[in-house]
Amino acid sequence: MSARLHPLALAALVLGFVFLYGPILVLVVYSFNESRLVTVWGGFSTRWYAGLAANAPLVAATLTTLKVALASASLATVLGTLAALALDRRGGFPGRTLFSGLLVAPMVMPEVIIGLALLLLFVGLGIDRGFWTIVAAHTTFTLCFVAVVVQARLKGLDRSLIEAAADLGAPPVTVFRTVTLPLLLPAIVAGFLLAFTLSMDDLVIASFVSGPGATTLPMRLYSQVRLGVTPEINAISTLLIATVALSVLIASLATARREG
C-alpha cells in the first residue's frame, strides 16, 4: 500500500515551492517585458537581452565575476584537495585538530567578519585591493567547502585498491595519479562547482576587498537595485538562471548515462 501525503503536508509543500520559485518565475517573465517599467506588462519583447551588449558596466562586471570565480575555484580545489589528503593521513600529525578547526572555520563564520578581517590584512600588508585580492578572499572562503567534500569521499574509498597498487611496487606519486586521483575525481569536480557557485554568488566579502576596476556582478546588481530595478537586471538574471539550469541538466544526463 503506497503512502499518501496528508492534505496539510501537500498544501505546505506547494506553498513552499511557490514561495521559493514564484519570484524567480516572475523575474523570468518580466525579462521579456516590452515596457521599461518592470511592474507593468507592455507586451512580449527581447529588446532588453539585446540591450545587454550595450551595457558596458554590466558586461564588464559579468566578465570580472567569471574570471574571479574560475581563478578562485581552481585554487580552492587544489588547496582544498591537498588539505583533505593531509587530514586523511593515518596516524595524524602534530596540530591536526587545530588545522582542522581553522580549515572549517570559514563555513560557520559570518561573511562580514571574514571580509573585514581580510580587508584589515590587505591594508596592513599594503596590498592594493583589486582583482587578485578578491581571488585570494574567495579562495580562502571556498577551499573549506572543497576540503569537506573531498574528505567525505576519502572516508568512503576502498583502501584495498590503494594498498594493492602500493604492494605491486608503484611509487606513491604513481599510486596517487593512477588510483587515488581517479577515485576522488567526482568529489573534486563537485568541490570545484561548489566553490565556483559560492564565488559567483558572493557579495559581502567582495565588497570589502574589491578595488577600482574590480566590480563583480553581484556588486553591480546591488548598486543598481538600490536605484531601482531595470529590465536589464531581469535579463542578466534570467541568463544566469538558464545557465545554471542547463549545467544541472547536463550533469544529470551525464550521471544517468554513466550509471546506465
PDB file of all heavy atoms in Angstrom, residues 215-250:
ATOM      1  N   THR A 215      34.864  45.309 -10.054  1.00  0.00           N
ATOM      2  CA  THR A 215      33.483  45.237  -9.570  1.00  0.00           C
ATOM      3  C   THR A 215      32.854  43.948 -10.088  1.00  0.00           C
ATOM      4  O   THR A 215      32.819  43.697 -11.289  1.00  0.00           O
ATOM      5  CB  THR A 215      32.664  46.441 -10.061  1.00  0.00           C
ATOM      6  OG1 THR A 215      33.272  47.646  -9.600  1.00  0.00           O
ATOM      7  CG2 THR A 215      31.240  46.367  -9.542  1.00  0.00           C
ATOM      8  N   THR A 216      32.373  43.123  -9.166  1.00  0.00           N
ATOM      9  CA  THR A 216      31.752  41.865  -9.562  1.00  0.00           C
ATOM     10  C   THR A 216      30.279  42.091  -9.903  1.00  0.00           C
ATOM     11  O   THR A 216      29.704  43.141  -9.588  1.00  0.00           O
ATOM     12  CB  THR A 216      31.866  40.827  -8.432  1.00  0.00           C
ATOM     13  OG1 THR A 216      31.169  41.304  -7.276  1.00  0.00           O
ATOM     14  CG2 THR A 216      33.330  40.578  -8.085  1.00  0.00           C
ATOM     15  N   LEU A 217      29.679  41.091 -10.520  1.00  0.00           N
ATOM     16  CA  LEU A 217      28.279  41.210 -10.930  1.00  0.00           C
ATOM     17  C   LEU A 217      27.335  41.385  -9.740  1.00  0.00           C
ATOM     18  O   LEU A 217      26.435  42.237  -9.811  1.00  0.00           O
ATOM     19  CB  LEU A 217      27.878  39.989 -11.764  1.00  0.00           C
ATOM     20  CG  LEU A 217      26.451  39.999 -12.323  1.00  0.00           C
ATOM     21  CD1 LEU A 217      26.239  41.184 -13.240  1.00  0.00           C
ATOM     22  CD2 LEU A 217      26.161  38.694 -13.061  1.00  0.00           C
ATOM     23  N   PRO A 218      27.456  40.621  -8.651  1.00  0.00           N
ATOM     24  CA  PRO A 218      26.571  40.889  -7.507  1.00  0.00           C
ATOM     25  C   PRO A 218      26.698  42.315  -6.976  1.00  0.00           C
ATOM     26  O   PRO A 218      25.693  42.929  -6.599  1.00  0.00           O
ATOM     27  CB  PRO A 218      27.031  39.860  -6.460  1.00  0.00           C
ATOM     28  CG  PRO A 218      27.599  38.744  -7.265  1.00  0.00           C
ATOM     29  CD  PRO A 218      28.263  39.406  -8.427  1.00  0.00           C
ATOM     30  N   MET A 219      27.918  42.864  -6.959  1.00  0.00           N
ATOM     31  CA  MET A 219      28.101  44.242  -6.504  1.00  0.00           C
ATOM     32  C   MET A 219      27.421  45.220  -7.458  1.00  0.00           C
ATOM     33  O   MET A 219      26.775  46.177  -7.026  1.00  0.00           O
ATOM     34  CB  MET A 219      29.595  44.553  -6.398  1.00  0.00           C
ATOM     35  CG  MET A 219      30.327  43.761  -5.332  1.00  0.00           C
ATOM     36  SD  MET A 219      32.120  43.985  -5.431  1.00  0.00           S
ATOM     37  CE  MET A 219      32.258  45.753  -5.208  1.00  0.00           C
ATOM     38  N   ARG A 220      27.559  44.980  -8.759  1.00  0.00           N
ATOM     39  CA  ARG A 220      26.938  45.857  -9.749  1.00  0.00           C
ATOM     40  C   ARG A 220      25.415  45.785  -9.649  1.00  0.00           C
ATOM     41  O   ARG A 220      24.725  46.822  -9.686  1.00  0.00           O
ATOM     42  CB  ARG A 220      27.398  45.460 -11.150  1.00  0.00           C
ATOM     43  CG  ARG A 220      26.715  46.177 -12.293  1.00  0.00           C
ATOM     44  CD  ARG A 220      27.011  47.669 -12.290  1.00  0.00           C
ATOM     45  NE  ARG A 220      28.446  47.921 -12.440  1.00  0.00           N
ATOM     46  CZ  ARG A 220      28.980  49.133 -12.426  1.00  0.00           C
ATOM     47  NH1 ARG A 220      28.201  50.195 -12.253  1.00  0.00           N
ATOM     48  NH2 ARG A 220      30.286  49.286 -12.558  1.00  0.00           N
ATOM     49  N   LEU A 221      24.881  44.575  -9.530  1.00  0.00           N
ATOM     50  CA  LEU A 221      23.427  44.435  -9.435  1.00  0.00           C
ATOM     51  C   LEU A 221      22.898  45.084  -8.156  1.00  0.00           C
ATOM     52  O   LEU A 221      21.845  45.743  -8.176  1.00  0.00           O
ATOM     53  CB  LEU A 221      23.041  42.956  -9.467  1.00  0.00           C
ATOM     54  CG  LEU A 221      23.299  42.211 -10.785  1.00  0.00           C
ATOM     55  CD1 LEU A 221      22.867  40.767 -10.660  1.00  0.00           C
ATOM     56  CD2 LEU A 221      22.578  42.887 -11.938  1.00  0.00           C
ATOM     57  N   TYR A 222      23.615  44.912  -7.069  1.00  0.00           N
ATOM     58  CA  TYR A 222      23.160  45.503  -5.807  1.00  0.00           C
ATOM     59  C   TYR A 222      23.141  47.030  -5.884  1.00  0.00           C
ATOM     60  O   TYR A 222      22.195  47.672  -5.414  1.00  0.00           O
ATOM     61  CB  TYR A 222      24.066  45.043  -4.671  1.00  0.00           C
ATOM     62  CG  TYR A 222      23.691  45.610  -3.322  1.00  0.00           C
ATOM     63  CD1 TYR A 222      22.544  45.186  -2.666  1.00  0.00           C
ATOM     64  CD2 TYR A 222      24.486  46.572  -2.712  1.00  0.00           C
ATOM     65  CE1 TYR A 222      22.185  45.700  -1.427  1.00  0.00           C
ATOM     66  CE2 TYR A 222      24.141  47.099  -1.474  1.00  0.00           C
ATOM     67  CZ  TYR A 222      22.995  46.661  -0.837  1.00  0.00           C
ATOM     68  OH  TYR A 222      22.648  47.191   0.372  1.00  0.00           O
ATOM     69  N   SER A 223      24.168  47.595  -6.485  1.00  0.00           N
ATOM     70  CA  SER A 223      24.218  49.058  -6.597  1.00  0.00           C
ATOM     71  C   SER A 223      23.117  49.585  -7.508  1.00  0.00           C
ATOM     72  O   SER A 223      22.553  50.658  -7.254  1.00  0.00           O
ATOM     73  CB  SER A 223      25.590  49.495  -7.115  1.00  0.00           C
ATOM     74  OG  SER A 223      25.827  48.995  -8.422  1.00  0.00           O
ATOM     75  N   GLN A 224      22.772  48.840  -8.563  1.00  0.00           N
ATOM     76  CA  GLN A 224      21.711  49.284  -9.453  1.00  0.00           C
ATOM     77  C   GLN A 224      20.327  49.095  -8.843  1.00  0.00           C
ATOM     78  O   GLN A 224      19.433  49.924  -9.043  1.00  0.00           O
ATOM     79  CB  GLN A 224      21.804  48.532 -10.780  1.00  0.00           C
ATOM     80  CG  GLN A 224      23.014  48.918 -11.632  1.00  0.00           C
ATOM     81  CD  GLN A 224      22.939  48.332 -13.034  1.00  0.00           C
ATOM     82  OE1 GLN A 224      21.951  47.718 -13.420  1.00  0.00           O
ATOM     83  NE2 GLN A 224      24.000  48.517 -13.794  1.00  0.00           N
ATOM     84  N   VAL A 225      20.149  47.995  -8.106  1.00  0.00           N
ATOM     85  CA  VAL A 225      18.848  47.732  -7.498  1.00  0.00           C
ATOM     86  C   VAL A 225      18.504  48.794  -6.473  1.00  0.00           C
ATOM     87  O   VAL A 225      17.326  49.156  -6.292  1.00  0.00           O
ATOM     88  CB  VAL A 225      18.835  46.323  -6.862  1.00  0.00           C
ATOM     89  CG1 VAL A 225      17.635  46.154  -5.935  1.00  0.00           C
ATOM     90  CG2 VAL A 225      18.792  45.264  -7.951  1.00  0.00           C
ATOM     91  N   ARG A 226      19.492  49.334  -5.810  1.00  0.00           N
ATOM     92  CA  ARG A 226      19.234  50.386  -4.818  1.00  0.00           C
ATOM     93  C   ARG A 226      18.646  51.633  -5.476  1.00  0.00           C
ATOM     94  O   ARG A 226      17.938  52.409  -4.832  1.00  0.00           O
ATOM     95  CB  ARG A 226      20.529  50.747  -4.095  1.00  0.00           C
ATOM     96  CG  ARG A 226      21.077  49.617  -3.235  1.00  0.00           C
ATOM     97  CD  ARG A 226      22.398  50.002  -2.602  1.00  0.00           C
ATOM     98  NE  ARG A 226      22.228  51.093  -1.644  1.00  0.00           N
ATOM     99  CZ  ARG A 226      23.236  51.656  -0.991  1.00  0.00           C
ATOM    100  NH1 ARG A 226      24.481  51.242  -1.202  1.00  0.00           N
ATOM    101  NH2 ARG A 226      23.006  52.632  -0.130  1.00  0.00           N
ATOM    102  N   LEU A 227      18.936  51.821  -6.774  1.00  0.00           N
ATOM    103  CA  LEU A 227      18.378  52.952  -7.514  1.00  0.00           C
ATOM    104  C   LEU A 227      17.103  52.579  -8.261  1.00  0.00           C
ATOM    105  O   LEU A 227      16.449  53.441  -8.859  1.00  0.00           O
ATOM    106  CB  LEU A 227      19.415  53.491  -8.512  1.00  0.00           C
ATOM    107  CG  LEU A 227      20.736  53.980  -7.909  1.00  0.00           C
ATOM    108  CD1 LEU A 227      21.703  54.388  -9.003  1.00  0.00           C
ATOM    109  CD2 LEU A 227      20.488  55.129  -6.940  1.00  0.00           C
ATOM    110  N   GLY A 228      16.764  51.293  -8.255  1.00  0.00           N
ATOM    111  CA  GLY A 228      15.577  50.825  -8.959  1.00  0.00           C
ATOM    112  C   GLY A 228      15.905  49.682  -9.898  1.00  0.00           C
ATOM    113  O   GLY A 228      16.950  49.688 -10.557  1.00  0.00           O
ATOM    114  N   VAL A 229      15.016  48.692  -9.959  1.00  0.00           N
ATOM    115  CA  VAL A 229      15.223  47.536 -10.823  1.00  0.00           C
ATOM    116  C   VAL A 229      14.982  47.928 -12.269  1.00  0.00           C
ATOM    117  O   VAL A 229      13.962  48.537 -12.598  1.00  0.00           O
ATOM    118  CB  VAL A 229      14.288  46.384 -10.415  1.00  0.00           C
ATOM    119  CG1 VAL A 229      14.504  45.176 -11.328  1.00  0.00           C
ATOM    120  CG2 VAL A 229      14.528  45.998  -8.962  1.00  0.00           C
ATOM    121  N   THR A 230      15.910  47.584 -13.133  1.00  0.00           N
ATOM    122  CA  THR A 230      15.783  47.858 -14.560  1.00  0.00           C
ATOM    123  C   THR A 230      15.572  46.554 -15.318  1.00  0.00           C
ATOM    124  O   THR A 230      15.945  45.481 -14.836  1.00  0.00           O
ATOM    125  CB  THR A 230      17.038  48.567 -15.088  1.00  0.00           C
ATOM    126  OG1 THR A 230      18.172  47.707 -14.897  1.00  0.00           O
ATOM    127  CG2 THR A 230      17.266  49.880 -14.346  1.00  0.00           C
ATOM    128  N   PRO A 231      14.993  46.610 -16.518  1.00  0.00           N
ATOM    129  CA  PRO A 231      14.787  45.377 -17.280  1.00  0.00           C
ATOM    130  C   PRO A 231      16.090  44.637 -17.595  1.00  0.00           C
ATOM    131  O   PRO A 231      16.084  43.407 -17.749  1.00  0.00           O
ATOM    132  CB  PRO A 231      14.110  45.887 -18.566  1.00  0.00           C
ATOM    133  CG  PRO A 231      13.449  47.164 -18.167  1.00  0.00           C
ATOM    134  CD  PRO A 231      14.367  47.775 -17.160  1.00  0.00           C
ATOM    135  N   GLU A 232      17.217  45.352 -17.710  1.00  0.00           N
ATOM    136  CA  GLU A 232      18.483  44.680 -17.971  1.00  0.00           C
ATOM    137  C   GLU A 232      18.857  43.740 -16.831  1.00  0.00           C
ATOM    138  O   GLU A 232      19.449  42.676 -17.047  1.00  0.00           O
ATOM    139  CB  GLU A 232      19.601  45.696 -18.195  1.00  0.00           C
ATOM    140  CG  GLU A 232      19.527  46.440 -19.517  1.00  0.00           C
ATOM    141  CD  GLU A 232      18.703  47.701 -19.397  1.00  0.00           C
ATOM    142  OE1 GLU A 232      18.034  47.884 -18.355  1.00  0.00           O
ATOM    143  OE2 GLU A 232      18.726  48.510 -20.352  1.00  0.00           O
ATOM    144  N   ILE A 233      18.520  44.117 -15.605  1.00  0.00           N
ATOM    145  CA  ILE A 233      18.801  43.259 -14.460  1.00  0.00           C
ATOM    146  C   ILE A 233      17.996  41.967 -14.555  1.00  0.00           C
ATOM    147  O   ILE A 233      18.502  40.871 -14.291  1.00  0.00           O
ATOM    148  CB  ILE A 233      18.491  44.003 -13.147  1.00  0.00           C
ATOM    149  CG1 ILE A 233      19.455  45.182 -12.974  1.00  0.00           C
ATOM    150  CG2 ILE A 233      18.571  43.065 -11.956  1.00  0.00           C
ATOM    151  CD1 ILE A 233      19.201  45.995 -11.723  1.00  0.00           C
ATOM    152  N   ASN A 234      16.721  42.079 -14.945  1.00  0.00           N
ATOM    153  CA  ASN A 234      15.911  40.877 -15.150  1.00  0.00           C
ATOM    154  C   ASN A 234      16.505  39.996 -16.242  1.00  0.00           C
ATOM    155  O   ASN A 234      16.519  38.762 -16.127  1.00  0.00           O
ATOM    156  CB  ASN A 234      14.484  41.263 -15.525  1.00  0.00           C
ATOM    157  CG  ASN A 234      13.728  41.881 -14.366  1.00  0.00           C
ATOM    158  OD1 ASN A 234      14.126  41.765 -13.216  1.00  0.00           O
ATOM    159  ND2 ASN A 234      12.633  42.558 -14.672  1.00  0.00           N
ATOM    160  N   ALA A 235      17.008  40.603 -17.297  1.00  0.00           N
ATOM    161  CA  ALA A 235      17.551  39.837 -18.412  1.00  0.00           C
ATOM    162  C   ALA A 235      18.817  39.095 -18.019  1.00  0.00           C
ATOM    163  O   ALA A 235      18.968  37.895 -18.301  1.00  0.00           O
ATOM    164  CB  ALA A 235      17.824  40.774 -19.597  1.00  0.00           C
ATOM    165  N   ILE A 236      19.760  39.782 -17.359  1.00  0.00           N
ATOM    166  CA  ILE A 236      21.009  39.122 -16.963  1.00  0.00           C
ATOM    167  C   ILE A 236      20.748  38.055 -15.916  1.00  0.00           C
ATOM    168  O   ILE A 236      21.379  36.992 -15.912  1.00  0.00           O
ATOM    169  CB  ILE A 236      22.039  40.163 -16.460  1.00  0.00           C
ATOM    170  CG1 ILE A 236      23.413  39.515 -16.305  1.00  0.00           C
ATOM    171  CG2 ILE A 236      21.602  40.782 -15.153  1.00  0.00           C
ATOM    172  CD1 ILE A 236      24.063  39.112 -17.587  1.00  0.00           C
ATOM    173  N   SER A 237      19.780  38.284 -15.040  1.00  0.00           N
ATOM    174  CA  SER A 237      19.423  37.277 -14.035  1.00  0.00           C
ATOM    175  C   SER A 237      18.818  36.045 -14.694  1.00  0.00           C
ATOM    176  O   SER A 237      19.117  34.907 -14.297  1.00  0.00           O
ATOM    177  CB  SER A 237      18.436  37.870 -13.024  1.00  0.00           C
ATOM    178  OG  SER A 237      18.995  38.982 -12.358  1.00  0.00           O
ATOM    179  N   THR A 238      17.991  36.256 -15.717  1.00  0.00           N
ATOM    180  CA  THR A 238      17.404  35.126 -16.435  1.00  0.00           C
ATOM    181  C   THR A 238      18.469  34.319 -17.153  1.00  0.00           C
ATOM    182  O   THR A 238      18.418  33.076 -17.183  1.00  0.00           O
ATOM    183  CB  THR A 238      16.357  35.633 -17.440  1.00  0.00           C
ATOM    184  OG1 THR A 238      15.346  36.363 -16.744  1.00  0.00           O
ATOM    185  CG2 THR A 238      15.710  34.477 -18.191  1.00  0.00           C
ATOM    186  N   LEU A 239      19.462  34.991 -17.722  1.00  0.00           N
ATOM    187  CA  LEU A 239      20.548  34.280 -18.387  1.00  0.00           C
ATOM    188  C   LEU A 239      21.343  33.435 -17.390  1.00  0.00           C
ATOM    189  O   LEU A 239      21.740  32.299 -17.703  1.00  0.00           O
ATOM    190  CB  LEU A 239      21.475  35.279 -19.090  1.00  0.00           C
ATOM    191  CG  LEU A 239      20.898  35.971 -20.327  1.00  0.00           C
ATOM    192  CD1 LEU A 239      21.895  36.984 -20.878  1.00  0.00           C
ATOM    193  CD2 LEU A 239      20.541  34.945 -21.403  1.00  0.00           C
ATOM    194  N   LEU A 240      21.563  33.963 -16.207  1.00  0.00           N
ATOM    195  CA  LEU A 240      22.269  33.197 -15.176  1.00  0.00           C
ATOM    196  C   LEU A 240      21.447  31.986 -14.745  1.00  0.00           C
ATOM    197  O   LEU A 240      21.986  30.882 -14.570  1.00  0.00           O
ATOM    198  CB  LEU A 240      22.565  34.091 -13.972  1.00  0.00           C
ATOM    199  CG  LEU A 240      23.617  35.185 -14.182  1.00  0.00           C
ATOM    200  CD1 LEU A 240      23.714  36.060 -12.932  1.00  0.00           C
ATOM    201  CD2 LEU A 240      24.974  34.577 -14.507  1.00  0.00           C
ATOM    202  N   ILE A 241      20.136  32.173 -14.580  1.00  0.00           N
ATOM    203  CA  ILE A 241      19.273  31.057 -14.211  1.00  0.00           C
ATOM    204  C   ILE A 241      19.288  29.985 -15.294  1.00  0.00           C
ATOM    205  O   ILE A 241      19.361  28.776 -15.006  1.00  0.00           O
ATOM    206  CB  ILE A 241      17.838  31.559 -13.959  1.00  0.00           C
ATOM    207  CG1 ILE A 241      17.801  32.469 -12.737  1.00  0.00           C
ATOM    208  CG2 ILE A 241      16.873  30.389 -13.772  1.00  0.00           C
ATOM    209  CD1 ILE A 241      16.478  33.177 -12.547  1.00  0.00           C
ATOM    210  N   ALA A 242      19.224  30.403 -16.555  1.00  0.00           N
ATOM    211  CA  ALA A 242      19.249  29.444 -17.670  1.00  0.00           C
ATOM    212  C   ALA A 242      20.573  28.696 -17.708  1.00  0.00           C
ATOM    213  O   ALA A 242      20.611  27.487 -17.977  1.00  0.00           O
ATOM    214  CB  ALA A 242      19.004  30.178 -18.986  1.00  0.00           C
ATOM    215  N   THR A 243      21.675  29.394 -17.441  1.00  0.00           N
ATOM    216  CA  THR A 243      22.985  28.745 -17.448  1.00  0.00           C
ATOM    217  C   THR A 243      23.080  27.686 -16.351  1.00  0.00           C
ATOM    218  O   THR A 243      23.564  26.571 -16.581  1.00  0.00           O
ATOM    219  CB  THR A 243      24.090  29.795 -17.256  1.00  0.00           C
ATOM    220  OG1 THR A 243      24.006  30.763 -18.295  1.00  0.00           O
ATOM    221  CG2 THR A 243      25.464  29.147 -17.291  1.00  0.00           C
ATOM    222  N   VAL A 244      22.606  28.035 -15.157  1.00  0.00           N
ATOM    223  CA  VAL A 244      22.634  27.076 -14.051  1.00  0.00           C
ATOM    224  C   VAL A 244      21.734  25.880 -14.351  1.00  0.00           C
ATOM    225  O   VAL A 244      22.123  24.722 -14.131  1.00  0.00           O
ATOM    226  CB  VAL A 244      22.198  27.769 -12.745  1.00  0.00           C
ATOM    227  CG1 VAL A 244      22.031  26.745 -11.626  1.00  0.00           C
ATOM    228  CG2 VAL A 244      23.217  28.829 -12.341  1.00  0.00           C
ATOM    229  N   ALA A 245      20.540  26.140 -14.862  1.00  0.00           N
ATOM    230  CA  ALA A 245      19.616  25.044 -15.176  1.00  0.00           C
ATOM    231  C   ALA A 245      20.199  24.124 -16.246  1.00  0.00           C
ATOM    232  O   ALA A 245      20.088  22.894 -16.149  1.00  0.00           O
ATOM    233  CB  ALA A 245      18.281  25.617 -15.637  1.00  0.00           C
ATOM    234  N   LEU A 246      20.831  24.704 -17.266  1.00  0.00           N
ATOM    235  CA  LEU A 246      21.440  23.888 -18.316  1.00  0.00           C
ATOM    236  C   LEU A 246      22.594  23.060 -17.765  1.00  0.00           C
ATOM    237  O   LEU A 246      22.752  21.885 -18.132  1.00  0.00           O
ATOM    238  CB  LEU A 246      21.928  24.802 -19.446  1.00  0.00           C
ATOM    239  CG  LEU A 246      22.555  24.097 -20.662  1.00  0.00           C
ATOM    240  CD1 LEU A 246      21.529  23.178 -21.317  1.00  0.00           C
ATOM    241  CD2 LEU A 246      23.067  25.124 -21.676  1.00  0.00           C
ATOM    242  N   SER A 247      23.389  23.648 -16.877  1.00  0.00           N
ATOM    243  CA  SER A 247      24.507  22.914 -16.285  1.00  0.00           C
ATOM    244  C   SER A 247      24.005  21.735 -15.453  1.00  0.00           C
ATOM    245  O   SER A 247      24.556  20.630 -15.522  1.00  0.00           O
ATOM    246  CB  SER A 247      25.350  23.854 -15.418  1.00  0.00           C
ATOM    247  OG  SER A 247      25.861  24.930 -16.180  1.00  0.00           O
ATOM    248  N   VAL A 248      22.951  21.970 -14.665  1.00  0.00           N
ATOM    249  CA  VAL A 248      22.386  20.895 -13.852  1.00  0.00           C
ATOM    250  C   VAL A 248      21.820  19.795 -14.739  1.00  0.00           C
ATOM    251  O   VAL A 248      21.987  18.593 -14.469  1.00  0.00           O
ATOM    252  CB  VAL A 248      21.297  21.453 -12.922  1.00  0.00           C
ATOM    253  CG1 VAL A 248      20.551  20.326 -12.217  1.00  0.00           C
ATOM    254  CG2 VAL A 248      21.915  22.390 -11.900  1.00  0.00           C
ATOM    255  N   LEU A 249      21.161  20.171 -15.839  1.00  0.00           N
ATOM    256  CA  LEU A 249      20.596  19.188 -16.756  1.00  0.00           C
ATOM    257  C   LEU A 249      21.700  18.337 -17.396  1.00  0.00           C
ATOM    258  O   LEU A 249      21.585  17.105 -17.473  1.00  0.00           O
ATOM    259  CB  LEU A 249      19.775  19.891 -17.837  1.00  0.00           C
ATOM    260  CG  LEU A 249      19.150  18.996 -18.909  1.00  0.00           C
ATOM    261  CD1 LEU A 249      18.180  18.007 -18.283  1.00  0.00           C
ATOM    262  CD2 LEU A 249      18.444  19.837 -19.969  1.00  0.00           C
ATOM    263  N   ILE A 250      22.765  18.984 -17.835  1.00  0.00           N
ATOM    264  CA  ILE A 250      23.870  18.249 -18.453  1.00  0.00           C
ATOM    265  C   ILE A 250      24.510  17.301 -17.447  1.00  0.00           C
ATOM    266  O   ILE A 250      24.821  16.136 -17.757  1.00  0.00           O
ATOM    267  CB  ILE A 250      24.914  19.232 -19.021  1.00  0.00           C
ATOM    268  CG1 ILE A 250      24.313  20.006 -20.202  1.00  0.00           C
ATOM    269  CG2 ILE A 250      26.172  18.497 -19.469  1.00  0.00           C
ATOM    270  CD1 ILE A 250      25.220  21.093 -20.744  1.00  0.00           C
TER     271      ILE A 250
END
